[in-house]
Amino acid sequence: MYALADCNNFYASCERVFEPKLEGRPVVVLSNNDGCVVARSQEAKDAGIGMGEPAFKCRDRFDRHQVVVRSSNYTLYDDMSRRVVRSILEFVPDVEIYSIDEVFLDLRPLQHLNVESLCRTIRDRVKKWTGIPISIGIAPTKTLAKLANRIAKKDPTTQGVFQLPATDPDRALALDSVDVGDVWGVGSRWGAKLRGLGIRSALDLARMPTDDLRKRFNVVAQRTALELRGLVCQELEDIAPPRKTLVRSRSFGDMVTDFEQMSEAIANHAVRAAEKLRHEGGTAGQVSVFLSTNRFRDDLPQYHGGGTAAFLPATASTPIILREAMRLTRFAWQQGFHYKKAGVMLGDLSFGEIQGGLFDTRDHPRDDRLMAALDEVNRKMGSGTLRPAATGVTPKGWRMKREHCSPKYTTCWRELPRAQT
């Protein structure tokens, strides 16, 4: 038996935790550079604000419905996500963190308990300890747990927790109530094709011959149908597979035409990417840099450039990665263009032992001590307290626009919430 715990309107809920006055008001969260709507409270959904809509097209509706607008605050959301997971781990030891707001729970070792009652307790405690409302779906497979979670969210009579019935006709009714396009792993393209074959609901998909599914689609569709029948095809992944690349990039707040600003942006991306790689215990065998203009501006000349350099041996040292990133930036830069986006990608990642270079004379133990000291200072004193001068010392126009950003309530001493009596 599995369960899926999904945070309700997660980004908007995080904003409400520290501003209770937002409860009951429509709240939207915007993407990087305050571009598009990426999260909505239920009240904002009811006001007709669509996911992914450009913010400038919604201004009239924002004003008409008195919508509270927030810039994305991923530092806050990431920390709140960890708090939700830690709360769940108090009750269920085996979990798979599927995304920032979704967690699969392995309930098989706990089936001697009343799992629905357990999940209701988890839901109440998460709300009490973190302030985040969650919905939980319970079922024999992960795909069915996703489906049950959807019902728990949509049907108010479930009070946020729904266990898929074990037998027909109730089980069949539940599957028949979910559109085939809303089944986990199907999506809009497959959904349209399945409807063309007369497959309208999750129940229809479960009853479709699996061999026919594999011929018309692929093995993933076949496994989805088997999971809808209650056959486990996807086990819990309690240890996430190691990543193959690490990308750090952003669109610029203002388009960049000056090489100094571009080099500062690339330096910031390289430093943060190296820091994150060390945090995950990995090393990189190569670094790539890319810069591009705004492809939506037909009135401006277009350019996309970049380059790649290899490391031998692999490294996570900021000075080494930064030096190569700066060299690649000088190589890729072309004057006379209006750049909208740039980034750094670390590739050929390895976690564990690394192969040394035959002619390598660098003092890597010294690098390791230096990076450990750097990371410790930044951990204690705040991110960016110690950083290379190449990242710049004053804010520049290339930095991301976040005109409506809330404080980092849980991770920055200067921005801790204040209680007044």
Side-chain angles (χ1 to χ4, degrees):
M1 189 68 71
Y2 296 92
L4 176 68
D6 188 356
C7 301
N8 300 344
N9 309 315
F10 180 56
Y11 292 173
S13 294
C14 289
E15 298 292 345
R16 283 173 164 171
V17 168
F18 299 97
E19 289 189 78
K21 65 183 180 182
L22 300 183
E23 198 67 42
R25 294 186 60 186
V27 178
V28 299
V29 177
L30 305 181
S31 63
N32 293 339
N33 289 310
D34 294 343
C36 301
V37 175
V38 295
R40 306 159 295 162
S41 68
Q42 187 58 52
E43 294 82 2
K45 296 175 185 177
D46 295 341
I49 297 169
M51 179 67 81
E53 277 198 87
F56 74 90
K57 290 186 176 181
C58 302
R59 297 299 179 194
D60 290 341
R61 277 172 287 166
F62 288 168
D63 294 338
R64 186 163 64 251
H65 297 284
Q66 296 184 313
V67 176
V68 177
V69 179
R70 291 286 182 264
S71 304
S72 51
N73 187 346
Y74 295 115
T75 302
L76 173 65
Y77 308 151
D78 185 57
D79 185 66
M80 293 301 292
S81 174
R82 286 197 294 268
R83 291 168 186 251
V84 169
V85 173
R86 285 200 298 267
S87 300
I88 292 173
L89 286 170
E90 292 286 328
F91 299 90
V92 181
D94 299 322
V95 303
E96 174 191 338
I97 302 173
Y98 181 66
S99 68
I100 193 171
D101 63 347
E102 293 177 288
V103 184
F104 281 107
L105 287 60
D106 187 353
L107 301 178
R108 289 174 295 181
L110 306 173
Q111 289 195 80
H112 60 284
L113 303 175
N114 184 325
V115 291
E116 182 176 345
S117 177
L118 172 66
C119 288
R120 292 194 182 279
T121 300
I122 292 173
R123 183 176 185 272
D124 293 342
R125 295 296 174 84
V126 168
K127 175 66 174 176
K128 181 177 181 180
W129 292 346
T130 69
I132 302 295
I134 66 173
S135 298
I136 303 179
I138 310 162
T141 70
K142 290 167 70 174
T143 301
L144 286 172
K146 261 280 201 183
L147 185 146
N149 182 277
R150 181 177 182 83
I151 296 174
K153 278 191 170 185
K154 299 290 185 181
D155 186 353
T157 64
T158 65
Q159 297 183 319
V161 177
F162 178 72
Q163 182 171 3
L164 194 71
T167 58
D168 291 334
D170 294 336
R171 178 190 174 101
L173 286 172
L175 267 64
D176 197 44
S177 68
V178 177
D179 184 84
V180 67
D182 294 327
V183 174
W184 185 35
V186 172
S188 57
R189 185 171 61 87
W190 277 9
K193 187 174 180 180
L194 285 165
R195 290 186 197 96
L197 298 172
I199 308 300
R200 304 291 180 182
S201 68
L203 181 64
D204 295 335
L205 182 58
R207 290 174 172 174
M208 189 173 179
T210 53
D211 290 342
D212 194 23
L213 266 173
R214 185 164 185 169
K215 288 178 183 177
R216 292 176 179 271
F217 297 90
N218 59 24
V219 69
V220 175
Q222 182 185 44
R223 289 172 181 167
T224 298
L226 289 172
E227 286 239 330
L228 288 173
R229 297 177 187 179
L231 301 175
V232 177
C233 299
Q234 300 182 71
E235 294 285 350
L236 205 71
E237 294 182 4
D238 52 353
I239 300 177
R243 66 163 80 218
K244 297 180 180 179
T245 60
L246 193 161
V247 180
R248 176 80 187 185
S249 69
R250 287 288 186 275
S251 295
F252 300 135
D254 298 317
M255 285 191 284
V256 170
T257 58
D258 177 66
F259 177 74
E260 181 182 349
Q261 290 195 33
M262 177 63 76
S263 63
E264 285 189 11
I266 293 293
N268 273 272
H269 293 324
V271 168
R272 295 302 298 274
E275 181 181 277
K276 186 172 181 62
L277 184 60
R278 289 194 299 274
H279 177 72
E280 296 181 2
T283 54
Q286 66 178 32
V287 59
S288 300
V289 165
F290 57 89
L291 28 143
S292 61
T293 53
N294 188 344
R295 60 190 177 92
F296 297 107
R297 290 290 300 271
D298 296 332
D299 58 320
L300 295 174
Q302 299 295 309
Y303 172 73
H304 180 86
T308 300
F311 300 123
L312 187 64
T315 185
S317 172
T318 293
I320 299 174
I321 293 172
L322 179 59
R323 182 185 64 212
E324 287 302 310
M326 292 293 93
R327 183 181 67 80
L328 292 170
T329 304
R330 289 190 292 271
F331 173 78
W333 173 263
Q334 293 288 329
Q335 191 65 38
F337 292 95
H338 293 69
Y339 293 94
K340 182 59 178 175
K341 187 175 183 178
V344 170
M345 181 176 74
L346 301 180
D348 194 13
L349 304 187
S350 56
F351 298 84
E353 295 294 327
I354 61 174
Q355 181 179 352
L358 182 61
F359 303 105
D360 179 37
T361 59
R362 190 176 180 91
D363 188 351
H364 294 287
R366 180 179 178 276
D367 283 344
D368 293 340
R369 293 193 299 271
L370 176 62
M371 292 300 98
L374 175 73
D375 293 340
E376 181 66 12
V377 169
N378 286 333
R379 186 186 68 81
K380 287 185 176 180
M381 307 300 293
S383 178
T385 300
L386 285 181
R387 64 185 189 277
T391 59
V393 293
T394 57
K396 298 291 195 305
W398 61 265
R399 294 186 183 274
M400 187 168 59
K401 287 183 179 178
R402 303 172 76 188
E403 296 178 356
H404 312 283
C405 193
S406 55
K408 297 185 283 289
Y409 293 108
T410 62
T411 58
C412 180
W413 287 107
R414 297 185 301 275
E415 299 179 23
L416 288 176
R418 297 182 180 182
Q420 297 179 344
T421 59

PDB file of all heavy atoms in Angstrom, residues 306-325:
ATOM      1  N   GLY A 306      28.422  29.678 -26.827  1.00  0.00           N
ATOM      2  CA  GLY A 306      28.847  28.948 -25.639  1.00  0.00           C
ATOM      3  C   GLY A 306      30.086  28.136 -25.911  1.00  0.00           C
ATOM      4  O   GLY A 306      30.711  28.227 -26.967  1.00  0.00           O
ATOM      5  N   GLY A 307      30.447  27.315 -24.926  1.00  0.00           N
ATOM      6  CA  GLY A 307      31.619  26.468 -25.054  1.00  0.00           C
ATOM      7  C   GLY A 307      31.714  25.510 -23.898  1.00  0.00           C
ATOM      8  O   GLY A 307      30.996  25.652 -22.890  1.00  0.00           O
ATOM      9  N   THR A 308      32.592  24.533 -24.006  1.00  0.00           N
ATOM     10  CA  THR A 308      32.761  23.495 -22.991  1.00  0.00           C
ATOM     11  C   THR A 308      34.241  23.249 -22.750  1.00  0.00           C
ATOM     12  O   THR A 308      35.043  23.271 -23.699  1.00  0.00           O
ATOM     13  CB  THR A 308      32.080  22.187 -23.434  1.00  0.00           C
ATOM     14  OG1 THR A 308      30.684  22.413 -23.634  1.00  0.00           O
ATOM     15  CG2 THR A 308      32.255  21.093 -22.381  1.00  0.00           C
ATOM     16  N   ALA A 309      34.587  23.009 -21.496  1.00  0.00           N
ATOM     17  CA  ALA A 309      35.961  22.671 -21.120  1.00  0.00           C
ATOM     18  C   ALA A 309      35.933  21.471 -20.186  1.00  0.00           C
ATOM     19  O   ALA A 309      34.994  21.308 -19.393  1.00  0.00           O
ATOM     20  CB  ALA A 309      36.645  23.852 -20.441  1.00  0.00           C
ATOM     21  N   ALA A 310      36.946  20.640 -20.278  1.00  0.00           N
ATOM     22  CA  ALA A 310      37.021  19.429 -19.456  1.00  0.00           C
ATOM     23  C   ALA A 310      37.976  19.633 -18.284  1.00  0.00           C
ATOM     24  O   ALA A 310      38.914  20.436 -18.352  1.00  0.00           O
ATOM     25  CB  ALA A 310      37.490  18.250 -20.303  1.00  0.00           C
ATOM     26  N   PHE A 311      37.719  18.906 -17.204  1.00  0.00           N
ATOM     27  CA  PHE A 311      38.589  18.893 -16.031  1.00  0.00           C
ATOM     28  C   PHE A 311      39.202  17.504 -15.881  1.00  0.00           C
ATOM     29  O   PHE A 311      38.495  16.502 -15.940  1.00  0.00           O
ATOM     30  CB  PHE A 311      37.806  19.213 -14.751  1.00  0.00           C
ATOM     31  CG  PHE A 311      37.133  20.558 -14.753  1.00  0.00           C
ATOM     32  CD1 PHE A 311      35.762  20.664 -14.562  1.00  0.00           C
ATOM     33  CD2 PHE A 311      37.867  21.719 -14.950  1.00  0.00           C
ATOM     34  CE1 PHE A 311      35.139  21.891 -14.552  1.00  0.00           C
ATOM     35  CE2 PHE A 311      37.248  22.959 -14.939  1.00  0.00           C
ATOM     36  CZ  PHE A 311      35.881  23.043 -14.743  1.00  0.00           C
ATOM     37  N   LEU A 312      40.492  17.468 -15.644  1.00  0.00           N
ATOM     38  CA  LEU A 312      41.149  16.208 -15.322  1.00  0.00           C
ATOM     39  C   LEU A 312      42.220  16.494 -14.274  1.00  0.00           C
ATOM     40  O   LEU A 312      43.218  17.166 -14.581  1.00  0.00           O
ATOM     41  CB  LEU A 312      41.783  15.566 -16.556  1.00  0.00           C
ATOM     42  CG  LEU A 312      42.364  14.162 -16.352  1.00  0.00           C
ATOM     43  CD1 LEU A 312      41.254  13.186 -15.987  1.00  0.00           C
ATOM     44  CD2 LEU A 312      43.092  13.690 -17.603  1.00  0.00           C
ATOM     45  N   PRO A 313      41.979  16.050 -13.041  1.00  0.00           N
ATOM     46  CA  PRO A 313      40.848  15.248 -12.581  1.00  0.00           C
ATOM     47  C   PRO A 313      39.590  16.088 -12.374  1.00  0.00           C
ATOM     48  O   PRO A 313      39.644  17.319 -12.413  1.00  0.00           O
ATOM     49  CB  PRO A 313      41.355  14.700 -11.249  1.00  0.00           C
ATOM     50  CG  PRO A 313      42.275  15.765 -10.747  1.00  0.00           C
ATOM     51  CD  PRO A 313      42.966  16.316 -11.966  1.00  0.00           C
ATOM     52  N   ALA A 314      38.462  15.383 -12.162  1.00  0.00           N
ATOM     53  CA  ALA A 314      37.194  16.062 -11.886  1.00  0.00           C
ATOM     54  C   ALA A 314      37.326  16.893 -10.616  1.00  0.00           C
ATOM     55  O   ALA A 314      38.118  16.561  -9.720  1.00  0.00           O
ATOM     56  CB  ALA A 314      36.076  15.038 -11.728  1.00  0.00           C
ATOM     57  N   THR A 315      36.547  17.956 -10.516  1.00  0.00           N
ATOM     58  CA  THR A 315      36.708  18.884  -9.401  1.00  0.00           C
ATOM     59  C   THR A 315      35.375  19.492  -8.988  1.00  0.00           C
ATOM     60  O   THR A 315      34.421  19.517  -9.767  1.00  0.00           O
ATOM     61  CB  THR A 315      37.697  20.001  -9.778  1.00  0.00           C
ATOM     62  OG1 THR A 315      37.936  20.849  -8.654  1.00  0.00           O
ATOM     63  CG2 THR A 315      37.130  20.854 -10.914  1.00  0.00           C
ATOM     64  N   ALA A 316      35.340  20.016  -7.767  1.00  0.00           N
ATOM     65  CA  ALA A 316      34.230  20.836  -7.295  1.00  0.00           C
ATOM     66  C   ALA A 316      34.769  22.138  -6.706  1.00  0.00           C
ATOM     67  O   ALA A 316      34.069  22.839  -5.982  1.00  0.00           O
ATOM     68  CB  ALA A 316      33.411  20.083  -6.247  1.00  0.00           C
ATOM     69  N   SER A 317      36.023  22.458  -7.017  1.00  0.00           N
ATOM     70  CA  SER A 317      36.672  23.653  -6.478  1.00  0.00           C
ATOM     71  C   SER A 317      36.182  24.897  -7.216  1.00  0.00           C
ATOM     72  O   SER A 317      36.263  24.967  -8.448  1.00  0.00           O
ATOM     73  CB  SER A 317      38.189  23.521  -6.617  1.00  0.00           C
ATOM     74  OG  SER A 317      38.827  24.738  -6.281  1.00  0.00           O
ATOM     75  N   THR A 318      35.722  25.869  -6.479  1.00  0.00           N
ATOM     76  CA  THR A 318      35.208  27.094  -7.080  1.00  0.00           C
ATOM     77  C   THR A 318      36.259  27.808  -7.939  1.00  0.00           C
ATOM     78  O   THR A 318      35.952  28.213  -9.071  1.00  0.00           O
ATOM     79  CB  THR A 318      34.679  28.046  -5.992  1.00  0.00           C
ATOM     80  OG1 THR A 318      33.511  27.460  -5.387  1.00  0.00           O
ATOM     81  CG2 THR A 318      34.308  29.397  -6.576  1.00  0.00           C
ATOM     82  N   PRO A 319      37.506  28.016  -7.476  1.00  0.00           N
ATOM     83  CA  PRO A 319      38.475  28.724  -8.323  1.00  0.00           C
ATOM     84  C   PRO A 319      38.724  28.044  -9.669  1.00  0.00           C
ATOM     85  O   PRO A 319      38.854  28.720 -10.699  1.00  0.00           O
ATOM     86  CB  PRO A 319      39.747  28.733  -7.461  1.00  0.00           C
ATOM     87  CG  PRO A 319      39.262  28.615  -6.063  1.00  0.00           C
ATOM     88  CD  PRO A 319      38.060  27.733  -6.138  1.00  0.00           C
ATOM     89  N   ILE A 320      38.787  26.717  -9.684  1.00  0.00           N
ATOM     90  CA  ILE A 320      39.053  26.000 -10.940  1.00  0.00           C
ATOM     91  C   ILE A 320      37.872  26.137 -11.889  1.00  0.00           C
ATOM     92  O   ILE A 320      38.029  26.453 -13.076  1.00  0.00           O
ATOM     93  CB  ILE A 320      39.349  24.519 -10.651  1.00  0.00           C
ATOM     94  CG1 ILE A 320      40.594  24.376  -9.764  1.00  0.00           C
ATOM     95  CG2 ILE A 320      39.541  23.754 -11.948  1.00  0.00           C
ATOM     96  CD1 ILE A 320      40.863  22.952  -9.332  1.00  0.00           C
ATOM     97  N   ILE A 321      36.661  25.907 -11.367  1.00  0.00           N
ATOM     98  CA  ILE A 321      35.458  26.006 -12.201  1.00  0.00           C
ATOM     99  C   ILE A 321      35.257  27.435 -12.685  1.00  0.00           C
ATOM    100  O   ILE A 321      34.940  27.679 -13.860  1.00  0.00           O
ATOM    101  CB  ILE A 321      34.232  25.502 -11.413  1.00  0.00           C
ATOM    102  CG1 ILE A 321      34.348  23.993 -11.157  1.00  0.00           C
ATOM    103  CG2 ILE A 321      32.935  25.834 -12.140  1.00  0.00           C
ATOM    104  CD1 ILE A 321      33.289  23.426 -10.236  1.00  0.00           C
ATOM    105  N   LEU A 322      35.496  28.412 -11.804  1.00  0.00           N
ATOM    106  CA  LEU A 322      35.301  29.813 -12.161  1.00  0.00           C
ATOM    107  C   LEU A 322      36.283  30.249 -13.240  1.00  0.00           C
ATOM    108  O   LEU A 322      35.907  30.959 -14.184  1.00  0.00           O
ATOM    109  CB  LEU A 322      35.464  30.679 -10.911  1.00  0.00           C
ATOM    110  CG  LEU A 322      35.309  32.187 -11.095  1.00  0.00           C
ATOM    111  CD1 LEU A 322      33.939  32.530 -11.664  1.00  0.00           C
ATOM    112  CD2 LEU A 322      35.537  32.905  -9.763  1.00  0.00           C
ATOM    113  N   ARG A 323      37.533  29.814 -13.117  1.00  0.00           N
ATOM    114  CA  ARG A 323      38.551  30.215 -14.112  1.00  0.00           C
ATOM    115  C   ARG A 323      38.158  29.741 -15.512  1.00  0.00           C
ATOM    116  O   ARG A 323      38.229  30.498 -16.480  1.00  0.00           O
ATOM    117  CB  ARG A 323      39.901  29.630 -13.714  1.00  0.00           C
ATOM    118  CG  ARG A 323      41.050  30.023 -14.666  1.00  0.00           C
ATOM    119  CD  ARG A 323      42.319  29.307 -14.282  1.00  0.00           C
ATOM    120  NE  ARG A 323      42.170  27.861 -14.437  1.00  0.00           N
ATOM    121  CZ  ARG A 323      42.778  26.963 -13.665  1.00  0.00           C
ATOM    122  NH1 ARG A 323      43.557  27.349 -12.656  1.00  0.00           N
ATOM    123  NH2 ARG A 323      42.601  25.668 -13.873  1.00  0.00           N
ATOM    124  N   GLU A 324      37.721  28.487 -15.613  1.00  0.00           N
ATOM    125  CA  GLU A 324      37.338  27.960 -16.927  1.00  0.00           C
ATOM    126  C   GLU A 324      36.058  28.613 -17.439  1.00  0.00           C
ATOM    127  O   GLU A 324      35.909  28.870 -18.640  1.00  0.00           O
ATOM    128  CB  GLU A 324      37.167  26.434 -16.852  1.00  0.00           C
ATOM    129  CG  GLU A 324      38.472  25.679 -16.732  1.00  0.00           C
ATOM    130  CD  GLU A 324      39.404  25.973 -17.900  1.00  0.00           C
ATOM    131  OE1 GLU A 324      38.963  25.886 -19.068  1.00  0.00           O
ATOM    132  OE2 GLU A 324      40.575  26.309 -17.653  1.00  0.00           O
ATOM    133  N   ALA A 325      35.126  28.875 -16.535  1.00  0.00           N
ATOM    134  CA  ALA A 325      33.881  29.527 -16.952  1.00  0.00           C
ATOM    135  C   ALA A 325      34.160  30.925 -17.508  1.00  0.00           C
ATOM    136  O   ALA A 325      33.555  31.342 -18.509  1.00  0.00           O
ATOM    137  CB  ALA A 325      32.907  29.595 -15.784  1.00  0.00           C
TER     138      ALA A 325
END
